[in-house]
Amino acid sequence: MPATIRDVARASGVHISTVSRTFSAPHLVNPETRVRVLACAEDLGYRPNRAARALITGRTHNIGLIVADIANPFFPPLIKAAEGQARHRDYHVFVADTNEDPAAEEDLVHALAKQVDGVLLCSPRMSNSLIEQVSREVPVVVINRQVAGLPCVMMDVGQGARAAIEHLLGLGHRRIALLGGPRGSWTAREMRRAASAAARGGGAELTLLGPNQPTETGGGAVAEQVRRSGVTAVLAYNDLMAIGLIEGLDALGLRVPQDVSVVGVDDIALSRLTRPKLTTVATPTAAAGRTAVDMLLQLDSDAPRGARGRGAASGDRRTTAQVMLQTALVVRDSTGPVPAPGRDGTGA
């Protein structure tokens, strides 16, 4: 028969309530007593009942993590890091996928709200106003998006886009295309703003192509547009699009980087396995996952016991600091000098 809380209390010589506090609010228990209780619990193989503990503390020790597309290689390192950080803090993570659908995203937040202590929204497709609205139902930390008044963990894709454009300018490119991401994407907007400014500053012409699906198929689908545009370099919304574009350009008889240079964003594992190896902007996805968990648990620890809804997500905590993590350009083999006039293969 599994050990019970009474068995632990008897073995450690304390009241049942002390055992309960040891697991639900350890900071309220004398350190020596806490060590003794935990040692007895370990010896007896006791595991606290999370459902019962939730009834007492008002906290489930569960976190929801909602991602835009779990099949995108950008997300697994973030998910893995978030789960590891949560486990270290004695929390479990429920992962859900929206398939880039803002309506599904909203439904998932509502479905998870009563089962978790908070939700991490990663690359959300909902509008800012809707994110603000659902944050009144359950504490929310937003990843890879800036929403005023809410805690956010962002990756500086603007800085990354500037670095990519400056790299291409340094190679002599003056006709550059930017492949946009999905409609409503904060990352796509930041990249467009920064890339446009960097291109203007370098005397280059920037052609905007998009919005597009942020997939390998989406990148391949615009290869013909890239060929017709006469550009000699492309910055893609993400690595998957860049890889798809390289495949599409190859099918059209264009070589990378001899005819067209290509830069991606994210530095997914595939970027190091393609031929040519992909020049890309590395994004700190694992750090973002860990940071977001810490921010969410800080929200939860600040909330009154059993608080839910607006009481759990309002007040000073709605202006929690927003964290910006740095990106870095990784130069590999998919970028090279601008081709000589008449030899770029694009018909320019």
mmCIF file of all heavy atoms in Angstrom, residues 3 19 27 74-75 106 124 134 146 150 165 169 179 212 217 231 250 255 282 284 306 314 324 326:
data_model
loop_
_atom_site.group_PDB
_atom_site.id
_atom_site.type_symbol
_atom_site.label_atom_id
_atom_site.label_comp_id
_atom_site.label_asym_id
_atom_site.label_seq_id
_atom_site.Cartn_x
_atom_site.Cartn_y
_atom_site.Cartn_z
ATOM 1 N N ALA A 3 2.465 4.809 0.738
ATOM 2 C CA ALA A 3 2.558 5.594 1.963
ATOM 3 C C ALA A 3 1.620 6.790 1.903
ATOM 4 O O ALA A 3 1.383 7.363 0.837
ATOM 5 C CB ALA A 3 3.993 6.063 2.164
ATOM 6 N N VAL A 19 3.522 18.326 7.516
ATOM 7 C CA VAL A 19 3.904 17.597 6.308
ATOM 8 C C VAL A 19 3.312 18.274 5.077
ATOM 9 O O VAL A 19 3.987 18.473 4.064
ATOM 10 C CB VAL A 19 3.442 16.125 6.378
ATOM 11 C CG1 VAL A 19 3.816 15.390 5.091
ATOM 12 C CG2 VAL A 19 4.047 15.428 7.586
ATOM 13 N N HIS A 27 8.737 27.209 2.559
ATOM 14 C CA HIS A 27 9.376 28.362 3.201
ATOM 15 C C HIS A 27 8.763 28.665 4.565
ATOM 16 O O HIS A 27 9.346 29.422 5.357
ATOM 17 C CB HIS A 27 9.259 29.593 2.290
ATOM 18 C CG HIS A 27 7.854 29.997 1.968
ATOM 19 N ND1 HIS A 27 7.069 29.291 1.074
ATOM 20 C CD2 HIS A 27 7.088 31.024 2.428
ATOM 21 C CE1 HIS A 27 5.879 29.884 0.986
ATOM 22 N NE2 HIS A 27 5.875 30.926 1.797
ATOM 23 N N PHE A 74 11.802 25.284 -34.827
ATOM 24 C CA PHE A 74 12.090 26.402 -33.925
ATOM 25 C C PHE A 74 11.604 26.100 -32.503
ATOM 26 O O PHE A 74 12.233 26.510 -31.519
ATOM 27 C CB PHE A 74 11.401 27.668 -34.448
ATOM 28 C CG PHE A 74 11.372 28.823 -33.489
ATOM 29 C CD1 PHE A 74 12.451 29.677 -33.365
ATOM 30 C CD2 PHE A 74 10.252 29.084 -32.713
ATOM 31 C CE1 PHE A 74 12.433 30.752 -32.485
ATOM 32 C CE2 PHE A 74 10.203 30.151 -31.829
ATOM 33 C CZ PHE A 74 11.303 30.985 -31.717
ATOM 34 N N PHE A 75 10.470 25.387 -32.378
ATOM 35 C CA PHE A 75 9.809 25.261 -31.082
ATOM 36 C C PHE A 75 10.354 24.171 -30.155
ATOM 37 O O PHE A 75 10.386 24.378 -28.932
ATOM 38 C CB PHE A 75 8.296 25.074 -31.279
ATOM 39 C CG PHE A 75 7.621 26.294 -31.830
ATOM 40 C CD1 PHE A 75 7.215 26.341 -33.142
ATOM 41 C CD2 PHE A 75 7.410 27.410 -31.034
ATOM 42 C CE1 PHE A 75 6.603 27.463 -33.663
ATOM 43 C CE2 PHE A 75 6.797 28.548 -31.538
ATOM 44 C CZ PHE A 75 6.390 28.572 -32.861
ATOM 45 N N GLU A 106 -7.112 30.916 -29.008
ATOM 46 C CA GLU A 106 -8.019 31.446 -27.985
ATOM 47 C C GLU A 106 -8.754 30.313 -27.277
ATOM 48 O O GLU A 106 -8.887 30.313 -26.042
ATOM 49 C CB GLU A 106 -9.020 32.410 -28.629
ATOM 50 C CG GLU A 106 -9.976 33.023 -27.618
ATOM 51 C CD GLU A 106 -11.038 33.899 -28.268
ATOM 52 O OE1 GLU A 106 -11.068 33.973 -29.518
ATOM 53 O OE2 GLU A 106 -11.838 34.495 -27.523
ATOM 54 N N PRO A 124 2.325 33.964 -30.525
ATOM 55 C CA PRO A 124 0.868 33.917 -30.682
ATOM 56 C C PRO A 124 0.404 34.615 -31.945
ATOM 57 O O PRO A 124 1.031 35.559 -32.425
ATOM 58 C CB PRO A 124 0.363 34.652 -29.433
ATOM 59 C CG PRO A 124 1.492 35.547 -29.029
ATOM 60 C CD PRO A 124 2.741 34.801 -29.389
ATOM 61 N N VAL A 134 -7.618 37.615 -22.719
ATOM 62 C CA VAL A 134 -7.489 36.291 -22.104
ATOM 63 C C VAL A 134 -6.579 36.332 -20.888
ATOM 64 O O VAL A 134 -6.695 35.477 -19.997
ATOM 65 C CB VAL A 134 -6.991 35.237 -23.117
ATOM 66 C CG1 VAL A 134 -7.964 35.100 -24.277
ATOM 67 C CG2 VAL A 134 -5.587 35.544 -23.614
ATOM 68 N N GLN A 146 5.657 41.261 -28.420
ATOM 69 C CA GLN A 146 5.568 42.337 -27.430
ATOM 70 C C GLN A 146 4.120 42.772 -27.296
ATOM 71 O O GLN A 146 3.480 43.127 -28.283
ATOM 72 C CB GLN A 146 6.437 43.525 -27.842
ATOM 73 C CG GLN A 146 6.492 44.618 -26.785
ATOM 74 C CD GLN A 146 7.503 45.693 -27.150
ATOM 75 O OE1 GLN A 146 7.697 46.001 -28.312
ATOM 76 N NE2 GLN A 146 8.162 46.249 -26.147
ATOM 77 N N LEU A 150 1.953 43.474 -20.447
ATOM 78 C CA LEU A 150 2.052 42.061 -20.087
ATOM 79 C C LEU A 150 3.519 41.638 -20.062
ATOM 80 O O LEU A 150 4.332 42.154 -20.834
ATOM 81 C CB LEU A 150 1.288 41.191 -21.086
ATOM 82 C CG LEU A 150 -0.238 41.273 -21.056
ATOM 83 C CD1 LEU A 150 -0.830 40.335 -22.099
ATOM 84 C CD2 LEU A 150 -0.772 40.927 -19.678
ATOM 85 N N ILE A 165 21.260 42.154 -43.026
ATOM 86 C CA ILE A 165 21.301 43.088 -44.156
ATOM 87 C C ILE A 165 22.688 43.717 -44.266
ATOM 88 O O ILE A 165 23.241 43.860 -45.377
ATOM 89 C CB ILE A 165 20.216 44.172 -44.002
ATOM 90 C CG1 ILE A 165 18.814 43.553 -44.066
ATOM 91 C CG2 ILE A 165 20.382 45.243 -45.079
ATOM 92 C CD1 ILE A 165 18.477 42.901 -45.389
ATOM 93 N N LEU A 169 25.116 43.704 -47.432
ATOM 94 C CA LEU A 169 25.662 44.949 -47.988
ATOM 95 C C LEU A 169 27.180 44.868 -48.095
ATOM 96 O O LEU A 169 27.778 45.314 -49.084
ATOM 97 C CB LEU A 169 25.259 46.133 -47.106
ATOM 98 C CG LEU A 169 23.782 46.526 -47.095
ATOM 99 C CD1 LEU A 169 23.519 47.576 -46.018
ATOM 100 C CD2 LEU A 169 23.357 47.050 -48.458
ATOM 101 N N LEU A 179 11.648 37.985 -47.374
ATOM 102 C CA LEU A 179 10.490 37.091 -47.413
ATOM 103 C C LEU A 179 9.760 37.198 -46.084
ATOM 104 O O LEU A 179 10.276 36.772 -45.050
ATOM 105 C CB LEU A 179 10.922 35.646 -47.656
ATOM 106 C CG LEU A 179 11.704 35.323 -48.926
ATOM 107 C CD1 LEU A 179 11.769 33.813 -49.119
ATOM 108 C CD2 LEU A 179 11.085 35.991 -50.136
ATOM 109 N N ASN A 212 3.759 35.142 -46.120
ATOM 110 C CA ASN A 212 3.958 33.766 -46.565
ATOM 111 C C ASN A 212 3.771 32.804 -45.398
ATOM 112 O O ASN A 212 3.899 33.185 -44.231
ATOM 113 C CB ASN A 212 5.383 33.578 -47.111
ATOM 114 C CG ASN A 212 5.723 34.528 -48.229
ATOM 115 O OD1 ASN A 212 5.238 34.387 -49.332
ATOM 116 N ND2 ASN A 212 6.575 35.514 -47.944
ATOM 117 N N THR A 217 7.623 24.656 -47.564
ATOM 118 C CA THR A 217 6.763 24.814 -48.746
ATOM 119 C C THR A 217 6.539 26.277 -49.072
ATOM 120 O O THR A 217 6.551 26.694 -50.236
ATOM 121 C CB THR A 217 5.417 24.104 -48.521
ATOM 122 O OG1 THR A 217 5.649 22.716 -48.271
ATOM 123 C CG2 THR A 217 4.514 24.247 -49.734
ATOM 124 N N VAL A 231 16.587 40.192 -57.656
ATOM 125 C CA VAL A 231 17.425 40.433 -56.480
ATOM 126 C C VAL A 231 18.608 39.473 -56.486
ATOM 127 O O VAL A 231 18.573 38.406 -57.109
ATOM 128 C CB VAL A 231 16.620 40.273 -55.175
ATOM 129 C CG1 VAL A 231 15.457 41.254 -55.137
ATOM 130 C CG2 VAL A 231 16.125 38.841 -54.998
ATOM 131 N N ASP A 250 17.092 26.084 -56.797
ATOM 132 C CA ASP A 250 17.843 25.025 -57.466
ATOM 133 C C ASP A 250 17.020 24.411 -58.604
ATOM 134 O O ASP A 250 17.557 24.133 -59.685
ATOM 135 C CB ASP A 250 18.222 23.957 -56.447
ATOM 136 C CG ASP A 250 19.017 22.822 -57.076
ATOM 137 O OD1 ASP A 250 20.169 23.062 -57.466
ATOM 138 O OD2 ASP A 250 18.473 21.702 -57.174
ATOM 139 N N ARG A 255 21.926 28.949 -58.548
ATOM 140 C CA ARG A 255 22.825 28.407 -57.545
ATOM 141 C C ARG A 255 22.914 29.356 -56.349
ATOM 142 O O ARG A 255 22.899 30.566 -56.500
ATOM 143 C CB ARG A 255 24.219 28.210 -58.142
ATOM 144 C CG ARG A 255 24.267 27.276 -59.353
ATOM 145 C CD ARG A 255 25.578 27.455 -60.105
ATOM 146 N NE ARG A 255 25.745 28.838 -60.554
ATOM 147 C CZ ARG A 255 26.889 29.357 -60.969
ATOM 148 N NH1 ARG A 255 27.992 28.612 -60.957
ATOM 149 N NH2 ARG A 255 26.939 30.604 -61.371
ATOM 150 N N ALA A 282 20.919 33.368 -35.351
ATOM 151 C CA ALA A 282 20.636 32.459 -34.246
ATOM 152 C C ALA A 282 19.757 33.162 -33.208
ATOM 153 O O ALA A 282 20.050 34.286 -32.795
ATOM 154 C CB ALA A 282 21.936 31.990 -33.599
ATOM 155 N N PRO A 284 17.894 32.802 -29.356
ATOM 156 C CA PRO A 284 18.107 32.067 -28.099
ATOM 157 C C PRO A 284 16.812 31.417 -27.604
ATOM 158 O O PRO A 284 16.242 31.816 -26.586
ATOM 159 C CB PRO A 284 18.604 33.155 -27.153
ATOM 160 C CG PRO A 284 17.939 34.403 -27.645
ATOM 161 C CD PRO A 284 17.844 34.256 -29.142
ATOM 162 N N GLY A 306 -5.181 30.999 -4.147
ATOM 163 C CA GLY A 306 -6.479 30.743 -4.769
ATOM 164 C C GLY A 306 -6.928 31.811 -5.725
ATOM 165 O O GLY A 306 -8.021 31.735 -6.276
ATOM 166 N N SER A 314 -3.849 40.932 -12.709
ATOM 167 C CA SER A 314 -3.936 42.383 -12.821
ATOM 168 C C SER A 314 -2.991 43.033 -11.831
ATOM 169 O O SER A 314 -2.151 42.403 -11.222
ATOM 170 C CB SER A 314 -5.380 42.831 -12.582
ATOM 171 O OG SER A 314 -5.814 42.421 -11.310
ATOM 172 N N MET A 324 14.350 41.320 -23.372
ATOM 173 C CA MET A 324 14.785 41.204 -24.763
ATOM 174 C C MET A 324 16.094 40.413 -24.787
ATOM 175 O O MET A 324 17.098 40.838 -24.218
ATOM 176 C CB MET A 324 14.986 42.576 -25.389
ATOM 177 C CG MET A 324 15.393 42.535 -26.860
ATOM 178 S SD MET A 324 14.051 42.013 -27.955
ATOM 179 C CE MET A 324 13.111 43.571 -28.090
ATOM 180 N N GLN A 326 19.286 38.648 -26.865
ATOM 181 C CA GLN A 326 20.063 39.013 -28.049
ATOM 182 C C GLN A 326 20.149 37.866 -29.061
ATOM 183 O O GLN A 326 20.193 36.695 -28.700
ATOM 184 C CB GLN A 326 21.473 39.429 -27.640
ATOM 185 C CG GLN A 326 21.511 40.708 -26.816
ATOM 186 C CD GLN A 326 20.854 41.871 -27.544
ATOM 187 O OE1 GLN A 326 21.272 42.223 -28.643
ATOM 188 N NE2 GLN A 326 19.836 42.446 -26.942
#
